[in-house]
Amino acid sequence: MFPIRHDWSRADVEALFELPFTELLHRAGSAHRLHFDPAEVQVSTLLSVKTGGCPEDCGYCPQAARYHTGVDATKLMSTESVVARARQARDAGASRFCMGAAWRSPKDRDVPKVAAMIREVKALGLETCATLGMLSGTQARALKDAGLDYYNHNLDTDPEFYGEVIHTRELQDRLDTLAHVRDAGLKTCCGGIVGLGESRRQRAGLLQTLANLPAHPDSVPINRLVQVEGTPLHGTSELDPFEFVRSIAVARILMPASMVRLSAGREGMSDELQALCFAAGANSIFFGEKLLTTGNPDTERDLALFARLGLRPMLVAEVADDTLSGCTTTVHAGITEAA
Ligand code: SAM
Ligand code: DTB
Ligand code: SF4
């Protein structure tokens, strides 16, 4: 009933969006259980290793140099400071550490610097992820050789709506980078943003395009637009929260074996809305008080939410050490207290 398909039509995907809410959640929950323990949630922490000053014009992004958002441009962080932050993230319970840079693409001279960060973060027992903009095949292979596990590069929105949001890079450029990433043997993290002012048909188009990629992304981040003053998309009408949950559920049905990440936008969500997202098949979050430049829920709030919902951080074989079992114990302790 939930085969891994790459031939979804727009009508197929729109029909899923149009199901009664309870039926959609039932189908998404069934797809989720075929591949995962629904009580487990993968936990990633983000760090902006190079913030702001970006030459691109992505209409949602506080890091584009051309928008006045109050985000100051910084240089690339030192490896030492990145590793200190990765250690803190690991000790707080994260199993994956994602390093982001506000670049159109890395310069060749930046690659050895990021490679050094990846090597050292990996040595802490964390899974590594990077999001650095467009990559050439050579750059992707160099990052793989350094021990990179995942590369994040989003499609962001439907091909039909794309030109209303981003003008400095084509969707095809993104597809080319994803091909370089896959060819280098890296796992892909690829999703998009909803709440940009797109229609339901266009939300369906984003998810259809993701599901029809040559391989389903290993991780699919679904971001809800974080509206930042100074960006062109600030002031866009808020997406109906149930439509956000539907987007998660449809992503789960289309890509049943992928991690579907409830990504940016959680800070403004109630516990109840997040619980609906987990029921709809989300099984990954960004954990830690900051995303790249904007806020994320406090770790205490997330641990309390895990405890209230009986969720556990997903253990990764190589990182199933005392730290993460400590985190699991904390969550279990919360559940026991609640019970
Ligand atoms: N510069 C690189 C790039 O664009 O590929 C990497 C970093 S970029 C910030 C990574 C992703 O963050 C974007 O593709 C977008 O999906 C997401 N993002 C950025 N700003 C956002 C916002 N205000 N709300 C939601 N998601 C956002
Ligand atoms: C993704 O899909 N979302 C993350 C991560 N991949 C890099 C980034 C969200 C950024 C939200 C805005 C900010 O904090 O600057
Ligand atoms: Fe630059 Fe990435 Fe932000 Fe676009 S999303 S402006 S490429 S940092």
Side-chain angles (χ1 to χ4, degrees):
M1 190 183 166
F2 298 104
I4 304 287
R5 282 177 54 188
H6 299 271
D7 61 349
W8 295 94
S9 70
R10 183 75 65 108
D12 291 337
V13 182
E14 284 186 280
L16 290 172
F17 266 97
E18 277 150 30
L19 284 171
F21 188 75
T22 44
E23 175 61 22
L24 176 60
L25 257 63
H26 174 72
R27 291 203 201 173
S30 308
H32 191 175
R33 278 152 186 79
L34 287 180
H35 295 275
F36 297 100
D37 175 345
E40 290 193 343
V41 176
Q42 189 277 330
V43 174
S44 294
T45 292
L46 273 171
L47 176 66
S48 179
V49 300
K50 194 270 166 238
T51 304
C54 182
E56 301 289 275
D57 78 343
C58 311
Y60 47 78
C61 185
Q63 302 201 68
R66 65 190 75 200
Y67 310 137
H68 300 288
T69 61
V71 170
D72 293 327
T74 65
K75 293 201 166 124
L76 185 62
M77 285 173 72
S78 68
T79 302
E80 200 186 8
S81 355
V82 172
V83 172
R85 297 288 291 274
R87 191 175 289 113
Q88 280 171 10
R90 184 197 63 180
D91 293 350
S95 61
R96 191 181 306 169
F97 192 68
C98 179
M99 293 158 270
W103 286 325
R104 171 175 167 80
S105 54
K107 299 207 169 52
D108 281 342
R109 67 164 188 268
D110 295 320
V111 174
K113 296 180 195 163
V114 178
M117 294 173 188
I118 292 166
R119 263 191 294 277
E120 295 209 21
V121 171
K122 180 96 178 151
L124 295 176
L126 284 159
E127 288 187 316
T128 53
C129 177
T131 182
L132 316 170
M134 295 184 285
L135 285 189
S136 68
T138 314
Q139 290 177 329
R141 285 190 294 278
L143 297 177
K144 169 75 182 167
D145 290 346
L148 188 66
D149 296 305
Y150 291 81
Y151 195 77
N152 164 250
H153 200 64
N154 291 337
L155 298 185
D156 279 343
T157 192
D158 176 50
E160 284 172 11
F161 191 66
Y162 185 93
E164 303 205 19
V165 180
I166 301 149
H167 312 93
T168 49
R169 156 190 331 183
E170 302 294 321
L171 186 64
Q172 188 57 47
D173 295 322
R174 293 175 187 259
L175 297 171
D176 292 347
T177 290
L178 288 165
H180 296 149
V181 166
R182 281 192 304 270
D183 292 349
L186 290 162
K187 292 184 188 144
T188 55
C189 171
C190 181
I193 313 179
V194 295
L196 299 171
E198 75 286 342
S199 61
R200 173 179 272 185
R201 176 179 158 77
Q202 291 164 335
R203 275 186 290 285
L206 165 67
L207 298 177
Q208 178 199 6
T209 311
L210 289 166
N212 289 345
L213 286 169
H216 288 176
D218 298 278
S219 295
V220 182
I222 305 294
N223 296 280
R224 185 172 80 163
L225 175 66
V226 178
Q227 300 209 10
V228 179
E229 217 171 318
T231 58
L233 290 176
H234 181 248
T236 305
S237 318
E238 291 281 337
L239 185 69
D240 173 6
F242 292 130
E243 186 68 11
F244 181 76
V245 179
R246 283 181 185 272
S247 307
I248 297 262
V250 173
R252 166 55 64 213
I253 293 168
L254 300 187
M255 294 166 281
S258 303
M259 301 280 180
V260 174
R261 184 173 306 126
L262 170 54
S263 301
R266 277 199 314 119
E267 197 181 27
M269 292 182 197
S270 66
D271 283 6
E272 292 83 353
L273 176 56
Q274 293 185 64
L276 275 178
C277 293
F278 294 124
N283 66 346
S284 172
I285 57 163
F286 286 123
F287 180 66
E289 270 128 53
K290 213 165 174 197
L291 293 165
L292 291 172
T293 65
T294 65
N296 199 41
D298 295 348
T299 52
E300 293 75 24
R301 181 180 161 201
D302 277 341
L303 288 174
L305 177 64
F306 273 35
R308 283 180 88 190
L309 300 180
L311 299 174
R312 307 184 293 275
M314 194 178 288
L315 298 180
V316 180
E318 313 94 271
V319 288
D321 61 9
D322 292 346
T323 308
L324 277 170
S325 0
C327 181
T328 311
T329 311
T330 310
V331 173
H332 282 156
I335 292 166
T336 314
E337 273 164 34

